[in-house]
Amino acid sequence: MSQLESILVVSDAHIPYHDKKALQLMLNVGKDLKPKHIYIIGDFIDFYAVSSHSKDPNRSLRLVEELQAGEQVLDQLEALGAKSRVYIGGNHEDRLQRYLQDKAPELFNIIDIPKLLHLTKRRWEYVPYKKDIKLGKLIFTHDVGVAGRNSVYKCLDTYQHSVVTGHSHRLAYIVEGNAVGEFKLSAQFGWLGDASQINYMQSARVLKDWALGFGVGYLDTAT
């Protein structure tokens, strides 16, 4: 007998530069949803402190403070009681890897995201950036190396399979089929970041193109 299992998808929170109201709404929905699966699909923590980009000197947050803020939200997600929890790295998690290989190669194989966030102890499965994971007939990954309004199509073209991605900070959902009645989808669920914190992009473009959001889905265990 078919049974549906609920999925909560957390995309691009950019903690600690997140939208507090949007993130709280996601958690409130999660309390009602009682998800069986939680998928963080990248850029959960901003890792501003180790970014290679020119930094705003008024932002004095240290890496340890970013990690502590991220762990506080992980605590809240874990309280939702999901039986499986997956954390997929994004290009912002990759900032740490690139910092280590360029600035501190001696620590490259000693420090990583799972250790810093205690993901094994917390019972999260970690999927590195540029990798993917499958749940049922759906693939989850952060990106395929592209952003912008057409990225939802580029992700479908890359995988030729139903896929959920982040990175673009857009809300988009497309379904395509073929001549024999087979269908596949590509979905993006926006972001949970605070638009007022963006200082590397013209604010009008942020407000025009990016949308606050998160994903809710259901896995049919019979398929």
Side-chain angles (χ1 to χ4, degrees):
M1 182 178 178
S2 178
Q3 183 176 357
L4 299 180
E5 294 185 347
S6 52
I7 309 165
L8 179 65
V9 182
V10 184
S11 179
D12 296 77
H14 290 273
I15 296 166
Y17 306 111
H18 56 285
D19 186 298
K20 293 179 174 58
K21 289 184 178 179
L23 188 120
Q24 187 58 55
L25 175 61
M26 181 268 293
L27 291 169
N28 290 342
V29 170
K31 290 175 184 177
D32 290 334
L33 181 68
K34 296 180 176 58
K36 295 293 185 183
H37 310 271
I38 297 177
Y39 277 68
I40 293 172
I41 58 171
D43 291 2
F44 181 67
I45 297 177
D46 194 79
F47 285 98
Y48 187 86
V50 292
S51 169
S52 61
H53 300 296
S54 178
K55 299 181 184 67
D56 183 347
N58 292 319
R59 292 188 180 182
S60 59
L61 275 175
R62 297 169 298 180
L63 179 59
V64 65
E65 292 168 321
E66 293 192 55
L67 293 168
Q68 288 171 348
E71 287 210 80
Q72 289 174 3
V73 180
L74 287 177
D75 289 340
Q76 294 172 296
L77 288 171
E78 289 162 16
L80 301 178
K83 72 175 185 179
S84 73
R85 300 188 291 263
V86 175
Y87 186 135
I88 301 170
N91 56 295
H92 279 250
E93 279 80 10
D94 195 51
R95 285 177 169 180
L96 176 65
Q97 295 300 101
R98 288 185 280 115
Y99 179 89
L100 290 171
Q101 67 186 25
D102 294 339
K103 306 288 188 181
E106 300 85 357
L107 301 176
F108 185 77
N109 292 316
I110 298 174
I111 297 174
D112 59 26
I113 302 294
K115 291 175 184 174
L116 290 174
L117 294 175
H118 310 103
L119 294 183
T120 300
K121 181 179 179 180
R122 288 176 170 276
R123 296 171 59 192
W124 286 82
E125 180 177 358
Y126 185 71
V127 179
Y129 179 50
K130 298 180 182 177
K131 301 295 183 180
D132 55 53
I133 190 170
K134 193 173 182 182
L135 177 65
K137 294 182 178 180
L138 193 59
I139 292 173
F140 294 84
T141 192
H142 180 65
D143 65 50
V144 296
V146 295
R149 68 192 306 172
N150 294 318
S151 62
V152 69
Y153 292 97
K154 294 290 186 181
C155 293
L156 192 61
D157 290 342
T158 297
Y159 276 95
Q160 292 295 302
H161 191 92
S162 292
V163 62
V164 172
T165 54
H167 190 58
S168 73
H169 299 179
R170 295 168 181 260
L171 285 170
Y173 186 96
I174 60 167
V175 178
E176 291 187 349
N178 60 26
V180 295
E182 298 169 332
F183 293 92
K184 53 187 181 291
L185 66 88
S186 179
Q188 298 175 343
F189 295 116
W191 76 318
L192 291 168
D194 181 354
S196 69
Q197 300 277 1
I198 300 300
N199 59 6
Y200 57 85
M201 185 174 174
Q202 216 280 342
S203 59
R205 287 183 57 197
V206 174
L207 295 174
K208 178 181 78 72
D209 295 335
W210 297 358
L212 291 169
F214 55 92
V216 171
Y218 293 90
L219 171 69
D220 187 344
T221 60
T223 61

